[in-house]
Amino acid sequence: MVALDRLVDVLGSLGTHLCCAPRGRDVELRGVALHDPVERTATATDDVLLGLGVPSPAAAARLVGGTQAAAVVLHGRPPLDERVAVAARRSGAAVLLVDPSVPWGQLANVAQTLVLGGQRKGAADLFAVADAIAAVVGGPVTIEDQQSRVLAYSYRQQGVDDVRVQTILGRRVPEEARRALDDYGVFTHLARTDEPLFVPRLTPSLGGRLVAAVRAGRELLGSVWVEVDADVDAVRHSALVDGARTAALHLLRARASSDLERQAEADLVISLLEGGEPADLARLGLPAGDLRVIAVQAHAGEGEHGAALLAFERATAGFGWSRPGRSALFGNVLYTVVPCGEDDAAAVEWVQALRRELPPEVLVPAGIGGRADAVHLPSSRNEADECLALSTGEPVVYDHAWAHVLLGRLAAVADSGRRPSRGPVADLVRHDVEHGTRYADTLRAWLAAQGDAREAARALSVHPNTLRYRMQRMAEVTALALDDPDQRLAMAIALTVTRTAP
């Protein structure tokens, strides 16, 4: 069972648009039906109906208007034909338009996997596809994702070149070989067409290759590589294309299953961070205590949300295959619960590992909360958020930054009420604005140095006599009770509020 909104999210990568949803996006789906152009298709009120063989908008309107299904998927591009929209309002069926270039076979596989929770056969199926391609095309095969990471390879790899050996052992194409392939235009070719491309020997360790794109509709999912000495005939070209299409079905099925698992994991993580049931830890495979919450943001120019999504994808895949934590994306913040105990090194290493998985231009500020059990995970999450606000580069750990966090909390409490318009700090700030003085900075430095004039002067890059003169003049502007510890604390908080206020 899955909500319509979830189906729309998953099919969105295939160019799917939800054009109308008379009963809302929360409608639950439990079945998948295929339209039969010859006989009337029986549907239930919680089915997704795939509109195969619908030749025209008029036929689509008849199908949508006469069905009991919760949603109907049609080939087409927005905007939705008005006749179909009227029919949808009459029957209550949601209508999804999918790019016509997406085969119905791919749509059926994804929908069935998502809605029915179909049997996930796992990576073994993809290895079998590689074996089948190798047998027909006549050469050792690897199936790779868009980042040239190996997803599967054929059983027989005898006599392969050095790059193939390094690729399989390292689960990734070596960077030098990838640059050579990029310079030759291989990746540009894969982005543009499904036609196989023969790549001759480019370096002494990189022999000939025949490569074809693995694509779902217009989206490039990866590629299939066959090691051959020379180009092959048209029959084997066609076999390679067919094999790539089969690989696409398996990758889409894996993605749908993975999306379901990610969503289930994310829901449990968010529940725990909001004070949910401690038993959820066992469902996530996490221990009952010695946990920390990591809060991460990812920035890449103006693409903040895109970078956050990429960080979530890498945290729940890629290096996350063996990751110790469990993650959820909430807004533009990635939260991860990591078992690491008193030592925060495991949490810091988790952040560093995520950074290594992201492009160099993506900035990854991070905050790490204090140690907690299931009951106190919400507190660790708050601490992680507060540390994230302090992070400008390296991860900020609550254990080391608690004083800054506490001062920030006090400042926030003070600033949430009516900020005093009179008093020592307000008087000094006003004087600075009107006369161009630096009295507020001077008081801040003096308080930070605990009254040590030389240390405060050093922080301000002025002579100690200059600092003493300023302090005398400041006493003429306002009443400074510097011998009162409560007033010193209050002024320190007020200065922090002044510094952080918009």
Side-chain angles (χ1 to χ4, degrees):
M1 181 181 66
V2 67
L4 171 64
D5 195 43
R6 186 68 184 145
L7 179 67
V8 173
D9 287 343
V10 174
L11 291 181
S13 63
L14 301 182
T16 301
H17 300 271
L18 178 62
C19 296
C20 64
R23 290 156 53 190
R25 299 170 67 104
D26 296 329
V27 174
E28 293 180 348
L29 308 173
R30 292 182 173 84
V32 178
L34 304 181
H35 170 58
D36 188 335
V38 178
E39 297 183 2
R40 180 180 176 83
T41 304
T43 56
T45 55
D46 50 10
D47 278 349
V48 179
L49 176 60
L50 304 184
L52 288 74
V54 179
S56 65
R62 288 194 295 272
L63 175 65
V64 172
T67 188
Q68 292 183 326
V72 179
V73 181
L74 301 169
H75 267 163
R77 296 186 176 91
L80 185 65
D81 186 278
E82 182 58 29
R83 289 168 290 183
V84 181
V86 171
R89 288 193 290 271
R90 184 170 65 251
S91 68
V95 178
L96 293 79
L97 290 183
V98 184
D99 192 304
S101 65
V102 181
W104 282 112
Q106 291 183 350
L107 287 170
N109 270 274
V110 173
Q112 288 170 351
T113 300
L114 188 66
V115 175
L116 303 178
Q119 297 295 322
R120 186 181 181 186
K121 299 180 181 179
D125 278 350
L126 207 54
F127 279 84
V129 172
D131 283 336
I133 296 172
V136 176
V137 181
V141 169
T142 59
I143 300 175
E144 302 169 10
D145 67 10
Q146 280 186 278
Q147 286 74 44
S148 298
R149 292 185 292 257
V150 176
L151 303 174
Y153 52 87
S154 58
Y155 174 70
R156 297 190 180 277
Q157 295 285 334
Q158 290 91 342
V160 297
D161 57 38
D162 290 343
V163 168
R164 175 57 62 82
V165 173
Q166 295 175 47
T167 297
I168 292 177
L169 292 178
R171 305 291 291 177
R172 190 177 193 141
V173 176
E175 190 58 35
E176 183 179 356
R178 199 174 193 280
R179 283 197 300 269
L181 294 167
D182 193 16
D183 292 342
Y184 190 76
V186 174
F187 299 112
T188 300
H189 175 89
L190 292 174
R192 292 176 177 173
T193 178
D194 294 342
E195 288 298 316
L197 171 70
F198 175 70
V199 183
R201 179 177 290 274
L202 299 180
T203 71
S205 58
L206 179 61
R209 300 279 196 279
L210 187 64
V211 60
V214 176
R215 197 183 312 277
R218 297 180 180 178
E219 182 186 4
L220 182 65
L221 301 177
S223 51
V224 178
W225 300 75
V226 186
E227 188 168 337
V228 290
D229 295 328
D231 203 355
V232 300
D233 57 38
V235 173
R236 286 188 283 178
H237 269 221
S238 178
L240 177 57
V241 171
D242 288 342
R245 289 172 179 165
T246 302
L249 294 177
H250 289 286
L251 291 180
L252 285 170
R253 185 184 297 120
R255 172 190 286 182
S257 297
S258 175
D259 282 344
L260 287 171
E261 292 171 5
R262 289 181 188 182
Q263 185 62 42
E265 175 180 310
D267 289 345
L268 289 174
V269 170
I270 292 298
S271 174
L272 284 167
L273 297 183
E274 293 179 344
E277 293 296 325
D280 288 342
L281 284 172
R283 298 173 63 187
L284 288 168
L286 293 172
D290 289 339
L291 301 165
R292 289 178 186 265
V293 177
I294 303 173
V296 170
Q297 285 183 319
H299 305 280
E302 296 180 356
E304 176 180 322
H305 293 284
L309 287 170
L310 179 60
F312 177 60
E313 190 275 334
R314 300 314 303 145
T316 51
F319 91 96
W321 291 333
S322 58
R323 69 193 192 281
R326 295 294 179 262
S327 302
L329 186 62
F330 195 80
N332 67 339
V333 179
L334 171 67
Y335 291 103
T336 299
V337 181
V338 176
C340 55
E342 293 186 15
D343 186 2
D344 55 57
V348 173
E349 172 53 31
W350 190 96
V351 176
Q352 301 297 358
L354 176 62
R355 282 179 171 169
R356 291 192 291 269
E357 288 291 319
L358 297 174
E361 64 271 16
V362 176
L363 302 178
V364 189
I368 300 172
R371 185 172 56 137
D373 55 19
V375 175
H376 295 100
L377 278 175
S379 296
S380 186
R381 180 240 182 119
N382 291 336
E383 293 162 357
D385 284 334
E386 291 166 315
C387 290
L388 174 61
L390 298 172
S391 176
T392 57
E394 294 302 309
V396 175
V397 183
Y398 177 77
D399 302 42
H400 312 302
W402 69 268
H404 298 286
V405 169
L406 177 59
L407 187 57
R409 289 177 183 175
L410 294 174
V413 170
D415 200 33
S416 64
R418 188 179 67 177
R419 196 181 310 164
S421 59
R422 291 185 293 180
V425 171
D427 292 343
L428 295 178
V429 170
R430 188 179 303 110
H431 191 278
D432 287 345
V433 172
E434 294 174 354
H435 302 281
T437 52
R438 295 187 57 197
Y439 289 168
D441 287 342
T442 301
L443 178 58
R444 183 180 290 111
W446 189 91
L447 290 170
Q450 301 183 47
D452 187 327
R454 292 186 179 276
E455 182 64 27
R458 187 179 301 111
L460 294 169
S461 300
V462 299
H463 193 276
N465 288 339
T466 301
L467 183 130
R468 294 187 182 96
Y469 175 74
R470 286 185 187 177
M471 297 295 290
Q472 292 173 1
R473 295 300 305 271
M474 288 158 56
E476 298 172 3
V477 172
T478 188
L480 291 176
L482 298 178
D483 56 345
D484 185 330
D486 290 338
Q487 292 213 30
R488 290 199 301 270
L489 176 60
M491 285 188 286
I493 296 172
L495 286 165
T496 302
V497 172
T498 301
R499 174 184 284 175
T500 59

